[in-house]
Amino acid sequence: MTKQIDLEAEIHRLLAEHDRIAEQGVTVQRRENVLVLGGEVESAQRRDEICRQITTRYPDLEIACDIGITRTQAPAEVEEIS
Amino acid sequence: MIRIAAVGDVHVDKDVVGRYRPALEELPDRADVLLIAGDLTRHGTVDEAKCFATEFGGLGVPVVVVLGNHDHQSDRQDDVTRVLTDSGITVLEGAATVLKIGGHRLGIAGTKGFGGGFKGACASNFGEREMKDFVGTAERYADALRDALRSVQVDALVALTHYAPVPETLAGEPLEIFAFLGCYQLGQAIDDAPTALALHGHAHHGSERGRTPGGVPVRNVAHPVIKQAYNVYQLLSGTVDTKDTQLANV
């Protein structure tokens, strides 16, 4: 795994600024031998593109992708505001 | 009674078209209006705006939105607004709209808002030109929201923003980025009007519920926070509804 100190910052910027990604809500956490990605995105294609771009930029990096796809079911409850 | 459906940060592009639609088709049975708290698109392009209009247009209930920071990414926000408006979607920026629902007048005032931070950790309008521009931008959006909220006489008043007006609904985000997620000036604007509910998005890892210093309920409706197609909030519970719009404001 790379020892690059600013790796998390560089990946955050890659995910926000890459013209095929534009995600600001993905978390990046370094474990001992793996980089864990978290958060939720709007489609499986976006999740897969995130992993593809990080792997392309950092080919030696091991990635664990825990990114979920945000659910879009109708709500079951109404909140009364008072 | 007024039922408001709300969501934010839907980031629509071609790959999302169709995902929300089954839940949206149920909207007329569940709510009177749909409010969307910005980040309608990924990059703010015209094509993405058309995808958003396809997914969220023609629902059988009014759709009222504000833009978010993503909707400004391509510097085409005016074109995005035009696409949405042409599709029958109301886009608010420093403006308000009034809907007559069940004999009640619902006012919605909206702005994108901006960052700047909250008490004890906020930026000041001081120093370099860049910093004064940053804080001045936040102040300008907050002033526009205040003016919009005060511009209508209604039975229930809702503030719709993308950026957060309070820090409570940011809980879960890193403290270091709170100043980029909202500003206290938006909360002040909301408290300077008889606001019943404030809705915002932007903070994907934030929390759902908070209150302004003046006690106005605040809800973060960012899609990753609410984890469903939309939330529904009920206002004016216990009031008498009528189809007679002449009774509005009684």
Side-chain angles (χ1 to χ4, degrees), chain B residues 105-174:
Chain B
R105 285 167 58 87
L106 171 66
I108 305 148
T111 184
K112 176 178 68 66
F114 203 55
F118 301 91
K119 66 179 179 182
C122 65
S124 298
N125 197 338
F126 180 84
E128 303 93 323
R129 172 46 53 197
E130 292 87 346
M131 184 56 74
K132 286 183 285 203
D133 287 344
F134 180 76
V135 177
T137 301
E139 291 173 339
R140 196 168 63 249
Y141 278 110
D143 289 343
L145 178 63
R146 180 183 291 103
D147 291 344
L149 285 164
R150 288 174 164 178
S151 70
V152 291
Q153 295 281 323
V154 293
D155 303 305
L157 182 60
V158 174
L160 179 65
T161 63
H162 181 59
Y163 284 77
V166 296
E168 287 92 333
T169 48
L170 303 181
E173 296 279 4

Side-chain angles (χ1 to χ4, degrees), chain B residues 14-159:
Chain B
K14 289 190 290 289
D15 57 333
V16 173
V17 173
R19 284 197 74 221
Y20 286 84
R21 203 68 196 185
L24 294 174
E25 298 289 356
E26 299 179 24
L27 254 180
D29 295 328
R30 296 173 178 270
D32 304 301
V33 58
L34 173 63
L35 308 187
I36 306 184
D39 278 5
L40 318 174
T41 66
R42 296 175 84 182
H43 306 90
T45 66
V46 168
D47 284 346
E48 290 172 358
K50 290 176 179 173
C51 290
F52 175 86
T54 298
E55 187 73 355
F56 286 89
L59 292 180
V61 299
V63 179
V64 181
V65 310
V66 294
L67 301 187
N69 57 309
H70 278 247
D71 307 314
H72 282 246
Q73 166 63 14
S74 299
D75 296 319
R76 300 288 301 276
Q77 54 271 22
D78 291 343
D79 296 323
V80 167
T81 296
R82 195 171 304 115
V83 168
L84 302 183
T85 302
D86 289 347
S87 301
I89 294 168
T90 300
V91 183
L92 299 178
E93 180 45 69
T97 187
V98 176
L99 302 172
K100 290 183 178 177
I101 296 170
H104 307 293
R105 285 167 58 87
L106 171 66
I108 305 148
T111 184
K112 176 178 68 66
F114 203 55
F118 301 91
K119 66 179 179 182
C122 65
S124 298
N125 197 338
F126 180 84
E128 303 93 323
R129 172 46 53 197
E130 292 87 346
M131 184 56 74
K132 286 183 285 203
D133 287 344
F134 180 76
V135 177
T137 301
E139 291 173 339
R140 196 168 63 249
Y141 278 110
D143 289 343
L145 178 63
R146 180 183 291 103
D147 291 344
L149 285 164
R150 288 174 164 178
S151 70
V152 291
Q153 295 281 323
V154 293
D155 303 305
L157 182 60
V158 174

Side-chain angles (χ1 to χ4, degrees), chain A residues 16-27 38-46 49 69-82, chain B residues 9-13 15-16 19-20 23 26 30 42-43 69-70 196-197 204-205 208-209 211 217 219 223-224 227-230 232-235 237:
Chain A
E17 297 171 15
H18 193 285
D19 60 6
R20 291 172 61 183
I21 301 177
E23 293 287 350
Q24 294 184 290
V26 174
T27 61
E40 295 185 354
V41 298
E42 290 288 337
S43 74
Q45 295 96 307
R46 295 185 192 188
E49 185 66 28
I69 312 303
T70 315
R71 300 180 185 94
T72 53
Q73 78 280 8
E77 297 171 350
V78 174
E79 180 183 353
E80 194 172 319
I81 299 293
S82 58
Chain B
D9 306 82
V10 294
H11 297 285
V12 174
D13 199 347
D15 57 333
V16 173
R19 284 197 74 221
Y20 286 84
E26 299 179 24
R30 296 173 178 270
R42 296 175 84 182
H43 306 90
N69 57 309
H70 278 247
L197 173 65
H204 291 204
H205 298 285
E208 193 176 333
R209 295 180 177 86
R211 293 252 175 188
R219 297 293 179 267
H223 187 206
K227 299 184 185 302
Q228 53 191 0
Y230 47 86
V232 180
Y233 302 103
Q234 184 171 307
L235 298 176
S237 302

